[in-house]
Amino acid sequence: MKVHNFSAGPGILPQEVLKKSAEAVLNFDNLNLSLLEISHRSKNFINVMEEARALAKELLGLGDGYQTIFVGGGASLQFAMVPYNLLKTDGKAGYLNTGVWASKAIKEAKLIGETVVVASSEDKNFSYIPKKYAIPSNLDYLHITSNNTIYGTQLKTFPITPVSMVCDMSSDIFSRKIDASKFDLIYAGAQKNMGPAGSTLVIVKESILGKTGRKLLSMLDYSVHIKGESMYNTPPVFPIYVSLLTMKWLKENGGVEWIEKINNKKANLLYAEIDRNLMFKGTVEVEDRSNMNANFVMTDNGKSHEVEFEKMTKEAGISGLNGHRDVGGYRASMYNALPVESVEALIEVMKAFEQKFA
Ligand SMILES: *Cc1c(COP(=O)(O)O)cnc(C)c1O
């Protein structure tokens, strides 16, 4: 049976990428060796790294002045590395608090230096994106989270600010056209929208580095990773390779512009059904709804039939629909690799459920 994978993370990857990745584990580049058992300094792997570093920038429309590195430790390590590398010992960082991930980033920054929260939506359980707020002009940087994976909210526009902007794009990188040059640093854990867990993409404008007045531990220093061409130490070779294949898949099919149309279509279809269907309702401010993660709950009509709904989704091959353990309900994650047909399959079940029990 075909499985429709709505998992929030690690999330769905293109079938052809998985196939090629599996092949490379057995026989990489016709070397009769596994990708997993060759030197990362071999020509074959250096090509992978160089291509991946260049393609990430290309897909974001970024040019000279920016450097791409792939590091371990997940997006969570970036919560610490960002302030460690950018927050001056006598400086101040600003954060937009739009969810659990943003809150965790704030917690780390506070351990490193002065940190202010410029705006927060915690008052309404992160169900909206704060809009009108002042950004102090003396910040070393402003940190935002473009897509809030757990709550299903997304920044549709980015703040206009004179200070450096840093963005956690873990769950919507390469999903829509953005002006990436507005950011001095972008990071994304691979496992939501670009590859397996284990590697984090960091793209940084080199000119902002080296200004904190702090001596940095090598492994936590962006400059060290850049100087080492993202191979200061053994990089996570497999996640980087799969991320490269996913980026190539995206480029060959028409790039971010192509996927944005599909992502809009999927989100429009599903939200229309959530709004129409008597059994379900959305949980966040309509204008802030995420195109990547759609959260919804049962209305009073539906509530006593949750078990039946779960049975029906399971029978239709729908997987990964449970909401985050902190928020409950349902969450349909519609990352780049999720086909429109999967959304249509979910909608069909929602309709059948309504017909049966409303
Ligand atoms: C999943 C996620 C993280 C955490 O990623 P890890 O790789 O598990 O550290 C951080 N930020 C966002 C927006 C996420 O979706």
Side-chain angles (χ1 to χ4, degrees):
M1 181 178 66
K2 184 168 169 37
V3 170
H4 301 287
N5 184 3
F6 289 90
S7 171
I12 185 170
L13 291 169
Q15 274 301 315
E16 59 187 86
V17 166
L18 293 177
K19 275 206 190 100
K20 278 188 202 159
S21 309
E23 280 163 20
V25 168
L26 296 172
N27 180 4
F28 175 55
D29 263 6
N30 289 320
L31 295 171
N32 288 315
L33 290 166
S34 168
L35 168 72
L36 307 181
E37 57 178 6
I38 60 166
S39 168
H40 57 292
R41 310 229 179 250
S42 64
K43 191 173 171 300
N44 301 72
F45 189 76
I46 287 177
N47 287 343
V48 168
M49 181 61 98
E50 280 177 1
E51 219 182 332
R53 294 179 74 202
L55 193 48
K57 268 177 36 170
E58 186 186 327
L59 287 171
L60 289 170
L62 290 171
D64 292 346
Y66 285 87
Q67 290 279 359
T68 310
I69 51 174
F70 292 92
V71 293
S76 298
L77 183 61
Q78 296 312 306
F79 298 163
M81 275 179 82
V82 164
Y84 187 63
N85 282 265
L86 303 183
L87 175 48
K88 296 191 178 96
T89 49
D90 59 352
K92 189 160 49 167
Y95 280 73
L96 183 63
N97 188 7
T98 52
V100 161
W101 297 121
S103 302
K104 287 189 170 166
I106 293 164
K107 183 177 167 221
E108 300 300 287
K110 281 186 171 164
L111 292 170
I112 290 178
E114 192 180 343
T115 302
V116 293
V117 176
V118 298
S120 170
S121 51
E122 198 173 5
D123 57 338
K124 291 184 182 163
N125 197 27
F126 300 118
S127 60
Y128 68 102
I129 301 291
K131 304 278 156 42
K132 291 199 176 105
Y133 48 90
I135 301 168
S137 59
N138 62 347
L139 297 177
D140 290 339
Y141 63 88
L142 173 72
H143 179 285
I144 63 174
T145 311
S146 53
N147 186 68
N148 299 284
T149 327
I150 293 174
Y151 304 89
T153 61
Q154 186 174 35
L155 270 73
K156 302 295 171 181
T157 59
F158 298 111
I160 295 167
T161 160
V163 306
S164 264
M165 258 205 299
V166 173
C167 191
D168 176 358
M169 291 193 191
S170 293
S171 52
D172 69 351
I173 186 111
F174 308 140
S175 71
R176 55 175 169 163
K177 243 187 125 47
I178 57 160
D179 180 358
S181 69
K182 282 184 179 163
F183 300 97
D184 285 350
L185 192 149
I186 291 168
Y187 63 91
Q191 72 273 19
K192 308 281 166 50
N193 215 14
M194 68 179 293
S199 119
T200 304
L201 168 73
V202 179
I203 299 188
V204 58
K205 197 187 253 179
E206 231 179 333
S207 59
I208 66 167
L209 300 175
K211 296 182 177 165
T212 59
R214 170 182 302 120
K215 281 198 176 136
L216 303 180
L217 295 164
S218 307
M219 273 300 284
L220 300 180
D221 184 345
Y222 291 128
S223 301
V224 167
H225 288 282
I226 291 168
K227 194 155 167 271
E229 299 184 323
S230 202
M231 296 214 201
Y232 171 70
N233 72 321
T234 317
V237 293
F238 187 68
I240 292 168
Y241 180 66
V242 182
S243 297
L244 170 61
L245 293 183
T246 311
M247 289 191 284
K248 277 181 158 174
W249 166 84
L250 184 56
K251 184 183 169 177
E252 280 158 18
N253 280 293
V256 172
E257 269 172 42
W258 164 73
I259 205 71
E260 179 174 32
K261 284 193 199 113
I262 297 172
N263 287 337
N264 284 339
K265 182 173 177 188
K266 289 184 288 187
N268 288 340
L269 283 171
L270 183 56
Y271 284 120
E273 180 60 19
I274 290 169
D275 291 340
R276 188 209 60 77
N277 196 307
L278 297 171
M279 312 297 265
F280 302 100
K281 62 179 182 195
T283 55
V284 302
E285 204 60 57
V286 169
E287 63 178 12
D288 301 324
R289 282 173 164 176
S290 165
N291 277 6
M292 293 281 100
N293 315 94
N295 284 36
F296 54 100
V297 292
M298 293 268 183
T299 57
D300 289 339
N301 296 320
K303 264 182 191 146
S304 50
H305 301 290
E306 279 178 11
V307 178
E308 284 99 328
F309 181 63
E310 266 140 53
K311 190 160 165 269
M312 289 173 77
T313 50
K314 206 171 165 198
E315 279 167 7
I318 287 164
S319 161
L321 205 61
N322 285 343
H324 187 274
R325 59 185 187 277
D326 287 351
V327 296
Y330 305 97
R331 171 172 52 168
S333 297
M334 299 175 279
Y335 296 127
N336 286 354
L338 185 87
V340 177
E341 299 80 69
S342 289
V343 173
E344 288 167 346
L346 172 59
I347 290 172
E348 230 171 86
V349 174
M350 292 166 79
K351 283 185 172 153
F353 177 67
E354 180 189 41
Q355 261 179 1
K356 212 162 166 187
F357 297 108

